[in-house]
Short mmCIF file of all heavy atoms in Angstrom, two decimals:
data_model
loop_
_atom_site.label_atom_id
_atom_site.label_comp_id
_atom_site.label_asym_id
_atom_site.label_seq_id
_atom_site.Cartn_x
_atom_site.Cartn_y
_atom_site.Cartn_z
N SER A 1 -118.45 155.29 94.59
CA SER A 1 -118.73 155.33 93.15
C SER A 1 -117.53 155.74 92.32
O SER A 1 -117.66 156.52 91.39
CB SER A 1 -119.90 156.29 92.90
OG SER A 1 -119.62 157.57 93.44
N ASP A 2 -116.36 155.24 92.65
CA ASP A 2 -115.20 155.49 91.79
C ASP A 2 -115.41 154.82 90.44
O ASP A 2 -115.91 153.70 90.36
CB ASP A 2 -113.92 154.94 92.42
CG ASP A 2 -113.49 155.72 93.65
OD1 ASP A 2 -114.15 156.72 93.97
OD2 ASP A 2 -112.50 155.31 94.29
N VAL A 3 -114.98 155.49 89.38
CA VAL A 3 -114.96 154.87 88.05
C VAL A 3 -113.62 154.19 87.83
O VAL A 3 -113.53 153.11 87.27
CB VAL A 3 -115.20 155.93 86.95
CG1 VAL A 3 -115.08 155.31 85.56
CG2 VAL A 3 -116.57 156.57 87.14
N CYS A 4 -112.55 154.81 88.33
CA CYS A 4 -111.20 154.29 88.11
C CYS A 4 -110.30 154.73 89.25
O CYS A 4 -110.27 155.92 89.60
CB CYS A 4 -110.66 154.81 86.77
SG CYS A 4 -108.98 154.29 86.40
N ALA A 5 -109.56 153.80 89.81
CA ALA A 5 -108.62 154.11 90.90
C ALA A 5 -107.19 153.74 90.53
O ALA A 5 -106.33 153.62 91.40
CB ALA A 5 -109.04 153.40 92.18
N VAL A 6 -106.94 153.53 89.24
CA VAL A 6 -105.61 153.10 88.80
C VAL A 6 -104.52 154.12 89.16
O VAL A 6 -103.44 153.75 89.61
CB VAL A 6 -105.61 152.80 87.28
CG1 VAL A 6 -104.20 152.46 86.80
CG2 VAL A 6 -106.55 151.65 86.99
N PRO A 7 -104.75 155.45 88.97
CA PRO A 7 -103.69 156.41 89.33
C PRO A 7 -103.25 156.29 90.78
O PRO A 7 -102.06 156.32 91.08
CB PRO A 7 -104.34 157.76 89.03
CG PRO A 7 -105.33 157.46 87.94
CD PRO A 7 -105.88 156.12 88.30
N ALA A 8 -104.22 156.15 91.68
CA ALA A 8 -103.88 156.00 93.10
C ALA A 8 -103.19 154.67 93.37
O ALA A 8 -102.31 154.57 94.24
CB ALA A 8 -105.13 156.12 93.95
N ALA A 9 -103.56 153.63 92.62
CA ALA A 9 -102.94 152.32 92.80
C ALA A 9 -101.44 152.38 92.55
O ALA A 9 -100.66 151.65 93.17
CB ALA A 9 -103.59 151.29 91.87
N GLY A 10 -101.02 153.25 91.61
CA GLY A 10 -99.59 153.40 91.35
C GLY A 10 -98.85 153.90 92.57
O GLY A 10 -97.73 153.45 92.86
N VAL A 11 -99.46 154.82 93.31
CA VAL A 11 -98.82 155.36 94.51
C VAL A 11 -98.71 154.27 95.57
O VAL A 11 -97.68 154.14 96.25
CB VAL A 11 -99.61 156.57 95.04
CG1 VAL A 11 -98.99 157.10 96.34
CG2 VAL A 11 -99.66 157.68 93.99
N VAL A 12 -99.75 153.46 95.72
CA VAL A 12 -99.70 152.35 96.69
C VAL A 12 -98.66 151.33 96.27
O VAL A 12 -97.90 150.80 97.10
CB VAL A 12 -101.09 151.70 96.83
CG1 VAL A 12 -101.02 150.52 97.79
CG2 VAL A 12 -102.11 152.71 97.30
N ALA A 13 -98.58 151.04 94.97
CA ALA A 13 -97.57 150.10 94.47
C ALA A 13 -96.17 150.61 94.77
O ALA A 13 -95.26 149.82 95.10
CB ALA A 13 -97.75 149.87 92.97
N GLU A 14 -95.96 151.92 94.66
CA GLU A 14 -94.67 152.51 95.04
C GLU A 14 -94.30 152.12 96.47
O GLU A 14 -93.15 151.75 96.75
CB GLU A 14 -94.74 154.04 94.99
CG GLU A 14 -94.52 154.70 93.68
CD GLU A 14 -94.56 156.21 93.82
OE1 GLU A 14 -94.11 156.72 94.88
OE2 GLU A 14 -95.04 156.89 92.91
N GLN A 15 -95.27 152.25 97.37
CA GLN A 15 -94.99 151.99 98.78
C GLN A 15 -94.57 150.54 98.99
O GLN A 15 -93.60 150.25 99.72
CB GLN A 15 -96.23 152.29 99.64
CG GLN A 15 -96.98 153.56 99.32
CD GLN A 15 -96.12 154.81 99.35
OE1 GLN A 15 -95.08 154.86 99.98
NE2 GLN A 15 -96.58 155.85 98.66
N MET A 16 -95.28 149.60 98.34
CA MET A 16 -94.98 148.19 98.55
C MET A 16 -93.62 147.82 97.96
O MET A 16 -92.86 147.03 98.55
CB MET A 16 -96.08 147.32 97.96
CG MET A 16 -97.45 147.52 98.61
SD MET A 16 -97.43 147.43 100.42
CE MET A 16 -96.93 145.73 100.69
N VAL A 17 -93.29 148.38 96.80
CA VAL A 17 -91.98 148.12 96.20
C VAL A 17 -90.88 148.72 97.08
O VAL A 17 -89.83 148.09 97.30
CB VAL A 17 -91.91 148.68 94.77
CG1 VAL A 17 -90.49 148.64 94.23
CG2 VAL A 17 -92.84 147.88 93.85
N ALA A 18 -91.11 149.92 97.59
CA ALA A 18 -90.12 150.56 98.46
C ALA A 18 -89.88 149.73 99.72
O ALA A 18 -88.74 149.60 100.19
CB ALA A 18 -90.58 151.97 98.84
N ILE A 19 -90.94 149.16 100.27
CA ILE A 19 -90.81 148.35 101.48
C ILE A 19 -89.94 147.13 101.21
O ILE A 19 -89.03 146.80 101.99
CB ILE A 19 -92.21 147.95 102.00
CG1 ILE A 19 -92.91 149.17 102.59
CG2 ILE A 19 -92.10 146.83 103.05
CD1 ILE A 19 -94.40 148.97 102.82
N VAL A 20 -90.19 146.43 100.11
CA VAL A 20 -89.39 145.24 99.78
C VAL A 20 -87.94 145.64 99.54
O VAL A 20 -87.01 144.96 100.03
CB VAL A 20 -89.97 144.53 98.54
CG1 VAL A 20 -89.02 143.41 98.07
CG2 VAL A 20 -91.34 143.94 98.85
N ALA A 21 -87.70 146.71 98.81
CA ALA A 21 -86.32 147.16 98.55
C ALA A 21 -85.61 147.51 99.84
O ALA A 21 -84.44 147.14 100.04
CB ALA A 21 -86.33 148.36 97.60
N ALA A 22 -86.31 148.21 100.74
CA ALA A 22 -85.70 148.57 102.03
C ALA A 22 -85.40 147.33 102.86
O ALA A 22 -84.33 147.23 103.50
CB ALA A 22 -86.63 149.51 102.79
N GLN A 23 -86.30 146.37 102.87
CA GLN A 23 -86.06 145.14 103.62
C GLN A 23 -84.84 144.39 103.11
O GLN A 23 -84.02 143.90 103.89
CB GLN A 23 -87.30 144.25 103.55
CG GLN A 23 -88.48 144.76 104.36
CD GLN A 23 -89.74 143.94 104.13
OE1 GLN A 23 -89.94 143.38 103.05
NE2 GLN A 23 -90.59 143.86 105.14
N GLU A 24 -84.73 144.29 101.79
CA GLU A 24 -83.59 143.56 101.23
C GLU A 24 -82.28 144.31 101.44
O GLU A 24 -81.23 143.69 101.64
CB GLU A 24 -83.82 143.29 99.74
CG GLU A 24 -84.91 142.26 99.48
CD GLU A 24 -84.65 140.92 100.17
OE1 GLU A 24 -83.48 140.47 100.19
OE2 GLU A 24 -85.60 140.33 100.70
N LEU A 25 -82.33 145.63 101.42
CA LEU A 25 -81.12 146.41 101.75
C LEU A 25 -80.71 146.17 103.20
O LEU A 25 -79.53 145.97 103.49
CB LEU A 25 -81.39 147.89 101.51
CG LEU A 25 -81.32 148.38 100.07
CD1 LEU A 25 -81.97 149.75 99.94
CD2 LEU A 25 -79.86 148.44 99.59
N GLN A 26 -81.68 146.17 104.09
CA GLN A 26 -81.36 145.93 105.50
C GLN A 26 -80.87 144.51 105.73
O GLN A 26 -79.97 144.29 106.54
CB GLN A 26 -82.59 146.20 106.37
CG GLN A 26 -82.92 147.67 106.55
CD GLN A 26 -84.06 147.85 107.53
OE1 GLN A 26 -85.19 147.45 107.27
NE2 GLN A 26 -83.77 148.43 108.68
N ARG A 27 -81.45 143.56 105.02
CA ARG A 27 -81.01 142.17 105.17
C ARG A 27 -79.53 142.04 104.82
O ARG A 27 -78.79 141.30 105.47
CB ARG A 27 -81.86 141.26 104.29
CG ARG A 27 -81.66 139.76 104.56
CD ARG A 27 -82.19 138.91 103.43
NE ARG A 27 -83.58 139.12 103.14
CZ ARG A 27 -84.59 138.45 103.69
NH1 ARG A 27 -84.34 137.53 104.60
NH2 ARG A 27 -85.85 138.68 103.33
N LYS A 28 -79.12 142.75 103.78
CA LYS A 28 -77.74 142.63 103.31
C LYS A 28 -76.77 143.50 104.10
O LYS A 28 -75.63 143.10 104.36
CB LYS A 28 -77.66 142.98 101.82
CG LYS A 28 -76.27 142.79 101.22
CD LYS A 28 -76.30 142.80 99.72
CE LYS A 28 -74.90 142.61 99.13
NZ LYS A 28 -74.30 141.32 99.55
N PHE A 29 -77.21 144.70 104.49
CA PHE A 29 -76.26 145.67 105.03
C PHE A 29 -76.45 145.99 106.51
O PHE A 29 -75.57 146.59 107.12
CB PHE A 29 -76.32 146.97 104.22
CG PHE A 29 -75.98 146.77 102.77
CD1 PHE A 29 -76.95 146.85 101.79
CD2 PHE A 29 -74.67 146.48 102.40
CE1 PHE A 29 -76.63 146.65 100.45
CE2 PHE A 29 -74.34 146.28 101.07
CZ PHE A 29 -75.32 146.37 100.10
#
């Protein structure tokens, strides 16, 4: 019965962006 999960979604979005950034850094370096 959550009314809103947007605050937590930001934390999950952080993880996904960090993963892509780390992958691209590893691809290059």
